[in-house]
Amino acid sequence: MKISVIGAGAMGGAIVEGLLKGDFISNEDICISDPSRVALERFAESGATITTENQMATLGGDTIVVVVKPWLVEQVLKGIKASLDYDRQTLIVVAAGITGAQLREWLKREKNEEIIPTLLAIPNIAAAECQSMTFLVPVTANKTKTAQAKQLFDSIGSTIITEERLLPAGTTLASCGIAYAMRYIRAASEGGVELGFKADDAKQIVMQTVRGAVELLQATGLHPEQAIDLVTTPGGVTIRGLNEMEHAGFTSSVIRGLKAGAK
């Protein structure tokens, strides 16, 4: 399989970095396109092909991954539509707020209602470390094409195939959610400094603690509240700290933030 990624910004670049680090595909079978040579420079010695011409990138790929800002999606798709092979290739569009109906309209060819097998995807920037949480929505892709797309994103993290109506929720939980998680890490690190640790030490402590919480939940299958019960003793410091956070609206603030991001 040959993969062409159109767009080498923060998200497109993260996807490419993850693919280059993994073993799903050889570097020589990856092509990256971006109008900015500066954005492409970091991949110049990777063995992947780089180009500033989207159509050139499109011609060589089996799977075309378009990763541009939402307001550029229509322009980019119309620019490459003539060079897409609707019988052979698969198109994956990574952009928040874009709908399947829009893609069907933009990708139609004259006198032909059928479009290229297409999916919507929302990963997050942890793709660069092969730790993305990705949501995948088949638009016109069949089961085989969808399974192939899932394999691609599974190689840079974990993937859920879902319905289009749930994509905004998935975006706020995982794509925006990684920023929310980092805000907690920042806040806890600052608290660690106030408690007496040096800034770098506090950050390391918090990151390892978060990593440990994730590993524990994954290994045991426990609900988070069950795991919390393991470390909350009657009258102990953990329950006092948790209750103070709840008095300040911790859970409510997280849920409100998620709901705001999903609008």
Side-chain angles (χ1 to χ4, degrees), residues 5-27:
V5 178
I6 296 177
M11 190 67 255
I15 291 172
V16 173
E17 286 182 35
L19 291 173
L20 292 171
K21 289 175 182 175
D23 56 8
F24 178 74
I25 186 172
S26 65
N27 293 7

Side-chain angles (χ1 to χ4, degrees), residues 213 216-217 220 222-234 237-243 245-246 250-251:
L216 181 64
L217 292 176
T220 64
L222 288 172
H223 186 281
E225 203 60 39
Q226 291 175 296
I228 288 171
D229 287 343
L230 297 176
V231 293
T232 49
T233 56
V237 295
T238 304
I239 192 63
R240 289 205 299 269
L242 287 169
N243 285 342
M245 291 180 188
E246 289 303 329
F250 181 81
T251 297

Side-chain angles (χ1 to χ4, degrees), residues 120-133:
L120 280 164
I122 298 293
N124 65 35
I125 58 172
E129 300 301 325
C130 298
Q131 292 294 331
S132 176
M133 178 68 248

Side-chain angles (χ1 to χ4, degrees), residues 31-53:
C31 179
I32 312 110
S33 173
D34 196 279
S36 169
R37 287 206 169 272
V38 174
L40 295 170
E41 281 178 0
R42 57 178 163 154
F43 305 118
E45 298 181 4
S46 66
T49 301
I50 59 174
T51 178
T52 57
E53 300 295 330

